[in-house]
Amino acid sequence: MSNYTQIDQTCANVIRTLTLDAVQAAKSGHPGMPLGMADVALVLYKKFIRFNPLDYRWFNRDRFIVSAGHGSMLPYSLLYLTGQPEMTLDELKRFRQYGSKTPGHPENHITQGIEVTTGPLGAGTANSVGMALAERWLAAKFNRSGFDVVDHYTYSIVSDGDLEEGVSHEAASLAGHLGLGKLIWFYDDNNITIDGPTSLSYSDVVPMRFEAYGWHVQTIDGHNMDEIEAAIHAARAVTDQPSIICCKTIIGKGMPTRQGTQKAHSDEPGEAEVHGAKVTYGLDPEKTFYVPDDILAAWRAIGAQGVNYEAAWDAAMTNYVTAFPTEAAALQDAINGTLPDGWDEVLPTFKPGDKPMATRAASGNVIDALVTSVPSLLGGSADLTPSNNTLPKGAASFAKGDFSGRYIRFGIREHAMGGILNGMALHGGVIPYGGTFFCFSDYMRPTLRLAALSGAHSIFVFTHDSIGLGEDGPTHQPVEQLAAVRAIPHLTTFRPADANETAFGWKVAVESKGPVALVLSRQALPILPKNDGALKGAYIAQDAENPDLILVASGSEVSLALDAARALGEQGKRARVVSMPSWELFDAQSDEYRASILPIDMPKVVVEAGVAQGWHKYTGPIVRFVTQETFGASAPYKDVFKHTGFTVEHVVSEALAVLS
Amino acid sequence: MSNYTQIDQTCANVIRTLTLDAVQAAKSGHPGMPLGMADVALVLYKKFIRFNPLDYRWFNRDRFIVSAGHGSMLPYSLLYLTGQPEMTLDELKRFRQYGSKTPGHPENHITQGIEVTTGPLGAGTANSVGMALAERWLAAKFNRSGFDVVDHYTYSIVSDGDLEEGVSHEAASLAGHLGLGKLIWFYDDNNITIDGPTSLSYSDVVPMRFEAYGWHVQTIDGHNMDEIEAAIHAARAVTDQPSIICCKTIIGKGMPTRQGTQKAHSDEPGEAEVHGAKVTYGLDPEKTFYVPDDILAAWRAIGAQGVNYEAAWDAAMTNYVTAFPTEAAALQDAINGTLPDGWDEVLPTFKPGDKPMATRAASGNVIDALVTSVPSLLGGSADLTPSNNTLPKGAASFAKGDFSGRYIRFGIREHAMGGILNGMALHGGVIPYGGTFFCFSDYMRPTLRLAALSGAHSIFVFTHDSIGLGEDGPTHQPVEQLAAVRAIPHLTTFRPADANETAFGWKVAVESKGPVALVLSRQALPILPKNDGALKGAYIAQDAENPDLILVASGSEVSLALDAARALGEQGKRARVVSMPSWELFDAQSDEYRASILPIDMPKVVVEAGVAQGWHKYTGPIVRFVTQETFGASAPYKDVFKHTGFTVEHVVSEALAVLS
């Protein structure tokens, strides 16, 4: 005897018809996954997921992440059916049209009730780990006996594509290691990818793979609602392991000729398929975007429970406020993203007389200070802790069995680290950071982009930022990474010139609404006399009366520029030195300010240990470059700098050349 | 009774002492892995690996890839000990010094006998799969009964770091699927990473994970030479599965206090550790860079076998030439990288009257033609075959059981695809290509860089190259990718404006010595009247007498620029249109040519559906930009173009503005 009725089946089937109608109307989209996973979605939403359509931001909601983001009509249908006010039937009809709430792939910054931006395969797997991680950390920090005020599940639908992507390995391996028991993945195991049957390219025994990661593993018929329910119960019962439920499904289930084939994956199915599918589902084939009244009522009843869930939580919070007023206030601040008053007063300052210091070391000092004043700050490194200086003094590791640790050992998993940071940031309640070598920003580049696109407040700590890395050689020496990172829209890049600029960079990073990349030196740099303009992105680090030219530099090359300015002075040339830690911040200044710092017609020499690409925008036509246009070399860093022309002599000679 | 003597143990130990001396001298480097894997290396080199130190390019050599590239002193020691003429003791003493043959990480373009450039973790795993794949394809193509002229193993050392990286999942999953039986990995399972014990972040059951991929799996004591030998025999006996031999080792074995800890991984160990280790090894602690004569003789005897291996192969080849002269000539051409005379005569041409065609479709036509004239060309797609147009008409898939197929189903594994292409390219005998959406070039970015750094002739086919992708929306629409790819030194990027330019792009790609990225449109583009300058990177697609301004464009925006020029003409403004498919090719032209195409002081409008970053270099100061500075939107592509300003009206208005 099934616990599920024909009503339930039809509730699942309307996800399918809404999907088919939307894809057919758009003549574009991906019906395969929603048709395959509709039954899982029905059971999950009817019996398990706690959320409130009328308050999609309710903090303790369960998170639901569609990593297989191409199946966006699944979450859009669910939002509509459960009564998310913004997600009207009209929006479903405008699927994939300009300005709609229903873009091709789910985007949290466009659509209320979408948790993260997915679509690039694998991304959601790491995001879901980040959300589950943030939940456990906040729970460890704020929950008290009898007060589980942070206590939710993170569910995700993952596809063959997600699991083929390397980032899924990194994310799952770490989740298994950490024992994130409230993380549950549904694997849409349909044996089909775009090219055809998975047998063309994929024969992993997925359950065995996940057992190897330490996950709790089940395999079920993804169209049998009783099996689905039992599996979710079993997954939730296991509290010290994440769970994967491998759901054997038929892609595009119900389409007469396309189901079970790669043709079901994407593109408009055609009227005949849509008609035939509706007949199979027992729904009126002549109607489009049609949900029978009783079915809509059943779905809305599911959504309506959300008010009760949130009310119960509100009540618990009220008691929590009474019992633990300090913790409650802190939790509320964390949820709201409110920084404590005066949080930045702890930022260390450094004096020109102080010992030279690598900006990565300065960053370590800043982190030590910030953890005392920014309680939401939480981060780690992709196994380069001693090099990235990311470990706050005395911080314990976030670990299986004790989730209160404030330091995350991401392992050698840069890509997953990026996705986890984004998941944490979009979960809320935390400000996450993660470190690696700048060269390996390449590994996590898809996540830098998604952070920027989705407005995730992730802080990326990139150390060893140039050929100044030295002996490890060109495989580890960033050359093009600065240009590449600066090219990403909505990402703020900050490359400080000394310890004080590093503190400013962290101030920017903590206060930012979106992602920030801090680009830090391996080698020690002198403390500069003057840093007051760093927050404006560029400023005059040292001026000259009626300057003949400007030396523009960032990061470790600012002190070289200052030395060169001195040498030029001895030759009677007056050089202004501009430190420019951040293009994006400078671009945001007034025309007047920008013209006052970098007047367009004044001769310039750009000094930066990276490719020149993009600098011309700031220089005007009279310019020379002391930049790094090819790969570096393995040698002590001073030798590398010497051989590649980062010397006072070379800067001076270029300056004289630009003046002549 | 062991088959191995004290001499053998000392042969292994001199790898250790050379490593320690080199790292100590450089005060920098990574002793941990070479000390841990020296015993494996001894057995592998003494009993199995076929190579010829006197001819490091011998085509049928076994390939040996140190994916854990930080352990570079292992291969450097082996090269010296086995008698690679270039690798002198002096070079070992110059470890990590400017201009030495012993850079921090192994670099094939610097050091003879190094197969690939490794160091960025995980990279070598995919490279090794590429090498094994190339070997099997060439074997299927050229071997005849009794003539196994292509027949070698690919061995690789992989570390915890390699296996934590996502790319190792992608590469191993595909290798298992394809059943690459001549691929053998040694997993240096030492339980240590930079941060500390692997228990901080890593608890995969690696053998189970690899069983799930379909690999042959063994676990042994990595310091027991008999076990090592038996395991390699067993691995070679399995012909339809790749093998992983999990070697339990002690990192930094022999260092008195550092062995078995993360302190053994990197940095100078200090004199006391070096001294103590030498005592433990039974070697003179007072001597540095010392190899006892009998031990060097034993090693040199191992290397000397190489001449015999190669001679035997030469003899077999001589017989093969007699029996199969056509195949032998073709194989020799493949090995030499010789393109058949007139190979490019098959390139299709298209007429302005022809139907508009997406450049990805044109690329498909070109591939269809090239496979008839370039026998070494071999490629695939990361599961976007119907979108990337990468499948040559009628080509079979390279598959387990039949390695003759010319099409590679990479699966949804962009990062591994890049690494596999590089491995294939550096193996030689093949010209590999691989396709994905341009947006997902981000996933494989580390491999684009390594291709460029190591001079791998990989061809990257990137389709859906802008917001012109349309409905899939911003997660799939490249915006910053053109700038990011152009930023990589030594990579040629080519974004053709129409079908004919696409053919030119492929000509560049096939003839190149290094990597080439082809950047292709999803949407149909008109066939332009004139393409003769495409090989120069930029040319005048349409001129005007005494032009008032220049419209500079690439790819799909060239036809928009032509339309805008026409509209400007109607307003009495004379616009030159420059098509600029490749910055790198243009940069290589004479000053005179460049000035003739883009005179610096002529007003310009740049029209390109990507960020403007970098264009200023070509434009001079009087310029406006019709570019894409933010993320795109999900909508039919014409709507996206309209809303983002890629219209004749907007280009015209910017042109008028730049003129005023």
Side-chain angles (χ1 to χ4, degrees):
Chain A
M1 247 314 270
S2 174
N3 285 323
Y4 291 86
T5 65
Q6 185 54 46
I7 296 276
D8 294 314
Q9 188 58 61
T10 307
C11 279
N13 286 344
V14 294
I15 296 173
R16 296 182 162 108
T17 55
L18 290 173
T19 296
L20 287 169
D21 288 339
V23 172
Q24 186 63 22
K27 301 194 191 309
S28 162
H30 299 79
M33 189 282 264
L35 270 61
M37 291 298 282
D39 303 312
V40 169
L42 180 277
V43 175
L44 183 64
Y45 270 68
K46 179 169 180 180
K47 296 289 178 76
F48 296 99
I49 279 199
R50 299 192 167 208
F51 70 108
N52 184 1
L54 300 182
D55 180 12
Y56 71 96
R57 287 200 181 99
W58 170 42
F59 192 71
N60 200 42
R61 69 191 179 276
D62 290 333
R63 304 304 197 271
F64 176 57
I65 294 152
V66 180
S67 187
H70 52 271
S72 57
M73 273 308 299
L74 181 81
Y76 298 155
S77 300
L78 290 166
L79 288 171
Y80 164 67
L81 291 166
T82 56
Q84 217 291 325
E86 191 191 71
M87 187 57 75
T88 61
L89 212 48
D90 275 347
E91 290 295 341
L92 297 187
K93 292 177 183 171
R94 296 179 63 223
F95 181 52
R96 296 184 154 231
Q97 303 308 304
Y98 196 86
S100 76
K101 300 289 178 191
T102 48
H105 291 79
E107 302 192 48
N108 60 293
H109 54 109
I110 290 180
T111 310
Q112 296 182 354
I114 295 294
E115 300 288 356
V116 296
T117 296
T118 54
L121 287 169
T125 66
N127 298 150
S128 74
V129 173
M131 296 218 166
L133 193 159
E135 190 267 350
R136 282 294 84 192
W137 186 72
L138 291 168
K141 186 178 168 77
F142 290 109
N143 289 356
R144 295 292 179 272
S145 183
F147 294 92
D148 286 343
V149 288
V150 181
D151 181 31
H152 70 75
Y153 286 89
T154 300
Y155 299 101
S156 184
I157 292 182
V158 305
S159 62
D160 286 305
D162 290 303
L163 295 191
E164 290 188 41
E165 291 286 359
V167 65
S168 74
H169 161 64
E170 299 179 7
S173 171
L174 183 60
H177 176 78
L178 294 173
L180 297 174
K182 295 177 85 79
L183 175 66
I184 298 175
W185 287 4
F186 299 94
Y187 167 34
D188 179 21
D189 182 7
N190 62 30
N191 291 315
I192 293 293
T193 68
I194 289 175
D195 270 19
T198 49
S199 59
L200 283 173
S201 60
Y202 189 51
S203 48
D204 291 7
V205 182
V206 173
M208 191 190 294
R209 176 182 159 208
F210 277 77
E211 275 166 34
Y213 295 144
W215 285 51
H216 175 250
V217 179
Q218 301 173 79
T219 299
I220 61 164
D221 173 355
H223 301 303
N224 181 317
M225 293 182 181
D226 296 291
E227 280 192 36
I228 297 164
E229 180 178 339
I232 300 174
H233 278 300
R236 289 160 53 116
V238 176
T239 58
D240 61 350
Q241 291 176 292
S243 270
I244 185 167
I245 303 172
C246 303
C247 307
K248 297 279 178 194
T249 61
I250 297 165
I251 190 171
K253 185 167 195 285
M255 285 195 281
T257 73
R258 293 194 167 201
Q259 73 168 5
T261 76
Q262 74 263 38
K263 285 191 176 168
H265 170 76
S266 61
D267 299 335
E268 59 168 318
E271 297 293 350
E273 291 288 313
V274 176
H275 190 280
K278 287 179 181 172
V279 170
T280 303
Y281 305 145
L283 284 157
D284 188 339
E286 305 305 328
K287 292 184 171 165
T288 58
F289 294 100
Y290 171 63
V291 180
D293 289 345
D294 58 333
I295 300 302
L296 187 60
W299 269 114
R300 290 286 157 95
I302 292 172
Q305 298 177 67
V307 174
N308 303 329
Y309 296 139
E310 185 167 350
W313 185 76
D314 286 343
M317 276 295 280
T318 304
N319 293 335
Y320 181 69
V321 168
T322 309
F324 302 99
T326 313
E327 289 81 351
L331 173 57
Q332 205 54 62
D333 281 350
I335 292 173
N336 298 341
T338 308
L339 294 168
D341 284 343
W343 68 272
D344 55 349
E345 287 165 14
V346 305
L347 287 170
T349 56
F350 306 84
K351 290 194 208 78
D354 291 351
K355 233 179 100 179
M357 178 184 272
T359 54
R360 65 173 168 138
S363 171
N365 288 350
V366 172
I367 291 172
D368 285 339
L370 284 177
V371 292
T372 68
S373 73
V374 183
S376 299
L377 196 68
L378 165 71
S381 162
D383 197 54
L384 288 169
T385 297
S387 299
N388 297 149
N389 299 68
T390 36
L391 175 65
K393 228 173 248 164
S397 294
F398 180 94
K400 187 170 185 168
D402 182 359
F403 293 131
S404 69
R406 199 166 176 176
Y407 194 68
I408 306 168
R409 304 280 179 175
F410 286 104
I412 303 155
R413 306 181 178 100
E414 298 84 4
H415 193 169
M417 177 171 72
I420 290 169
L421 294 177
N422 293 346
M424 292 169 70
L426 294 173
H427 178 279
V430 297
I431 302 175
Y433 68 89
T436 187
F437 284 172
F438 191 32
C439 208
F440 304 144
S441 63
D442 282 0
Y443 278 77
M444 52 198 297
R445 194 166 168 84
T447 67
L448 300 182
R449 174 173 226 261
L450 282 170
L453 175 57
S454 64
H457 182 198
S458 303
I459 302 173
F460 303 103
V461 179
F462 295 132
T463 71
H464 299 62
D465 70 346
S466 77
I467 51 171
L469 169 141
E471 290 90 341
D472 273 348
T475 55
H476 287 53
Q477 292 170 349
V479 168
E480 74 280 22
Q481 277 71 14
L482 255 176
V485 169
R486 285 169 176 157
I488 300 175
H490 310 319
L491 172 68
T492 301
T493 300
F494 197 102
R495 184 176 187 241
D498 75 348
N500 285 312
E501 278 197 14
T502 305
F504 285 122
W506 267 102
K507 184 171 158 64
V508 169
V510 169
E511 285 178 336
S512 176
K513 296 292 169 208
V516 176
L518 298 172
V519 178
L520 306 170
S521 76
R522 176 194 184 201
Q523 71 276 24
L525 305 177
I527 313 299
L528 305 181
K530 188 164 165 292
N531 296 94
D532 52 329
L535 293 174
K536 293 186 171 166
Y539 66 99
I540 299 169
Q542 179 179 289
D543 213 351
E545 215 171 323
N546 294 320
D548 299 309
L549 84 165
I550 304 178
L551 306 177
V552 199
S554 84
S556 48
E557 287 68 67
V558 175
S559 43
L560 171 60
L562 287 166
D563 289 346
R566 212 164 298 129
L568 283 163
E570 289 162 12
Q571 301 189 33
K573 304 296 180 193
R574 298 177 304 273
R576 167 186 294 182
V577 175
V578 169
S579 174
M580 190 159 177
S582 174
W583 290 8
E584 297 81 11
L585 295 181
F586 186 63
D587 290 346
Q589 305 307 315
S590 67
D591 290 352
E592 197 184 358
Y593 180 79
R594 285 184 286 126
S596 74
I597 303 297
L598 293 175
I600 202 70
D601 47 6
M602 197 178 289
K604 297 184 190 69
V605 177
V606 172
V607 191
E608 188 174 73
V611 296
Q613 182 178 307
W615 271 107
H616 295 77
K617 175 179 171 189
Y618 299 103
T619 61
I622 314 166
V623 62
R624 291 250 173 170
F625 293 90
V626 179
T627 51
Q628 178 66 24
E629 302 302 323
T630 184
F631 295 111
S634 170
Y637 82 90
K638 288 182 182 173
D639 291 348
V640 182
F641 274 134
K642 197 181 80 185
H643 283 283
T644 46
F646 289 91
T647 60
V648 169
E649 298 68 38
H650 186 221
V651 176
V652 167
S653 83
E654 291 299 300
L656 297 177
V658 84
L659 287 175
S660 69
Chain B
M1 244 320 266
S2 174
N3 285 323
Y4 290 86
T5 65
Q6 185 55 47
I7 295 276
D8 294 314
Q9 188 58 60
T10 307
C11 279
N13 286 344
V14 293
I15 296 173
R16 296 182 163 109
T17 55
L18 291 173
T19 296
L20 287 170
D21 287 338
V23 173
Q24 186 62 21
K27 301 192 189 311
S28 160
H30 300 79
M33 189 282 262
L35 271 59
M37 291 298 281
D39 303 311
V40 169
L42 179 277
V43 175
L44 183 65
Y45 271 68
K46 178 168 181 181
K47 296 289 178 77
F48 297 100
I49 278 198
R50 299 191 168 209
F51 71 108
N52 184 1
L54 301 182
D55 181 11
Y56 71 95
R57 288 199 180 99
W58 170 41
F59 192 72
N60 201 43
R61 69 189 180 279
D62 290 332
R63 303 305 195 271
F64 176 56
I65 294 153
V66 180
S67 187
H70 52 271
S72 57
M73 273 307 300
L74 181 81
Y76 298 155
S77 299
L78 290 165
L79 289 170
Y80 164 68
L81 291 166
T82 57
Q84 219 290 326
E86 192 191 71
M87 187 57 74
T88 61
L89 212 48
D90 274 347
E91 290 295 341
L92 297 187
K93 292 177 183 171
R94 296 179 62 222
F95 181 52
R96 296 185 155 229
Q97 302 308 305
Y98 195 86
S100 76
K101 299 289 177 192
T102 47
H105 291 79
E107 302 193 47
N108 60 294
H109 55 109
I110 290 180
T111 309
Q112 297 181 356
I114 294 295
E115 299 289 355
V116 297
T117 297
T118 53
L121 286 169
T125 67
N127 298 151
S128 74
V129 173
M131 295 220 167
L133 193 159
E135 189 268 350
R136 283 295 84 192
W137 186 71
L138 291 167
K141 187 178 168 79
F142 290 110
N143 289 356
R144 296 292 180 271
S145 183
F147 294 92
D148 286 343
V149 288
V150 182
D151 181 31
H152 69 75
Y153 285 90
T154 301
Y155 299 100
S156 184
I157 291 181
V158 304
S159 61
D160 287 304
D162 290 301
L163 296 190
E164 289 187 43
E165 290 285 359
V167 65
S168 74
H169 162 64
E170 299 179 6
S173 171
L174 183 59
H177 176 79
L178 294 173
L180 297 174
K182 295 175 86 79
L183 175 66
I184 298 174
W185 286 3
F186 300 94
Y187 166 33
D188 179 20
D189 182 7
N190 61 30
N191 292 313
I192 294 293
T193 68
I194 289 174
D195 270 18
T198 50
S199 59
L200 281 174
S201 61
Y202 189 51
S203 48
D204 291 8
V205 183
V206 173
M208 191 191 293
R209 175 181 161 209
F210 277 78
E211 275 166 33
Y213 295 144
W215 284 50
H216 174 251
V217 178
Q218 301 173 80
T219 300
I220 62 165
D221 173 355
H223 301 303
N224 181 317
M225 293 183 180
D226 296 291
E227 279 192 37
I228 297 165
E229 180 178 338
I232 300 174
H233 277 300
R236 290 160 53 116
V238 176
T239 58
D240 61 350
Q241 292 176 293
S243 270
I244 185 167
I245 302 173
C246 302
C247 307
K248 298 279 179 193
T249 62
I250 297 166
I251 190 171
K253 186 169 194 284
M255 283 195 281
T257 73
R258 293 195 166 200
Q259 74 168 1
T261 77
Q262 73 263 36
K263 285 193 177 167
H265 170 76
S266 60
D267 299 334
E268 57 168 320
E271 297 294 349
E273 291 288 312
V274 176
H275 190 281
K278 286 178 181 173
V279 171
T280 303
Y281 304 146
L283 284 157
D284 187 339
E286 305 306 328
K287 292 185 171 164
T288 59
F289 293 102
Y290 171 63
V291 180
D293 288 347
D294 58 332
I295 300 302
L296 187 61
W299 268 114
R300 290 287 156 94
I302 292 172
Q305 297 177 65
V307 174
N308 304 328
Y309 296 140
E310 184 166 351
W313 185 75
D314 286 342
M317 276 296 280
T318 304
N319 294 334
Y320 181 70
V321 169
T322 309
F324 301 100
T326 314
E327 289 82 349
L331 174 57
Q332 206 53 63
D333 281 350
I335 292 173
N336 298 341
T338 307
L339 294 168
D341 284 342
W343 69 271
D344 56 349
E345 287 165 15
V346 305
L347 287 170
T349 55
F350 306 85
K351 291 195 207 80
D354 290 351
K355 232 178 98 179
M357 179 183 271
T359 53
R360 65 173 168 139
S363 171
N365 288 350
V366 172
I367 291 172
D368 285 340
L370 284 178
V371 291
T372 67
S373 73
V374 183
S376 300
L377 196 68
L378 164 71
S381 161
D383 197 55
L384 288 168
T385 296
S387 299
N388 297 148
N389 299 68
T390 35
L391 176 65
K393 229 174 246 164
S397 294
F398 180 94
K400 186 170 185 165
D402 182 0
F403 293 131
S404 69
R406 199 166 175 176
Y407 194 68
I408 306 168
R409 305 280 180 175
F410 287 103
I412 303 155
R413 305 181 178 103
E414 299 83 5
H415 193 170
M417 177 171 73
I420 290 169
L421 295 176
N422 293 345
M424 293 169 70
L426 294 174
H427 179 278
V430 297
I431 301 175
Y433 68 90
T436 187
F437 284 173
F438 191 32
C439 207
F440 303 145
S441 63
D442 282 358
Y443 279 77
M444 51 198 297
R445 193 164 169 84
T447 68
L448 300 181
R449 174 173 226 260
L450 282 169
L453 175 58
S454 64
H457 183 197
S458 303
I459 302 174
F460 303 102
V461 180
F462 295 130
T463 71
H464 298 61
D465 70 347
S466 76
I467 52 171
L469 169 140
E471 289 90 341
D472 273 349
T475 55
H476 286 53
Q477 292 169 350
V479 168
E480 73 280 22
Q481 277 72 12
L482 256 177
V485 169
R486 286 170 176 156
I488 299 175
H490 311 317
L491 172 68
T492 301
T493 301
F494 198 102
R495 183 174 188 241
D498 75 348
N500 286 312
E501 278 197 14
T502 306
F504 285 122
W506 267 102
K507 185 171 158 63
V508 169
V510 169
E511 286 179 335
S512 175
K513 297 291 169 210
V516 176
L518 299 171
V519 178
L520 306 170
S521 76
R522 176 195 185 198
Q523 70 276 24
L525 306 177
I527 313 297
L528 305 181
K530 188 164 165 292
N531 296 94
D532 52 332
L535 292 175
K536 293 187 170 163
Y539 65 99
I540 298 169
Q542 180 180 288
D543 214 350
E545 214 170 322
N546 292 323
D548 299 309
L549 84 164
I550 304 178
L551 305 178
V552 198
S554 84
S556 49
E557 286 68 67
V558 175
S559 42
L560 171 61
L562 288 166
D563 289 346
R566 212 165 297 129
L568 282 164
E570 288 162 13
Q571 301 189 35
K573 304 296 179 192
R574 298 178 305 274
R576 167 186 294 182
V577 175
V578 168
S579 174
M580 190 156 175
S582 174
W583 289 8
E584 296 82 11
L585 295 180
F586 186 63
D587 290 346
Q589 305 307 314
S590 67
D591 290 352
E592 196 182 0
Y593 179 78
R594 286 183 288 125
S596 75
I597 303 298
L598 293 175
I600 202 69
D601 47 5
M602 197 177 288
K604 298 183 189 71
V605 177
V606 172
V607 191
E608 187 174 73
V611 296
Q613 183 179 306
W615 270 108
H616 295 76
K617 174 179 172 188
Y618 300 103
T619 61
I622 313 165
V623 61
R624 290 249 174 172
F625 293 90
V626 179
T627 51
Q628 178 68 23
E629 303 302 323
T630 184
F631 295 110
S634 170
Y637 81 90
K638 289 182 181 172
D639 290 349
V640 182
F641 274 135
K642 199 180 80 185
H643 283 282
T644 47
F646 290 90
T647 61
V648 169
E649 297 68 36
H650 185 222
V651 176
V652 166
S653 83
E654 291 300 300
L656 297 177
V658 84
L659 288 174
S660 70

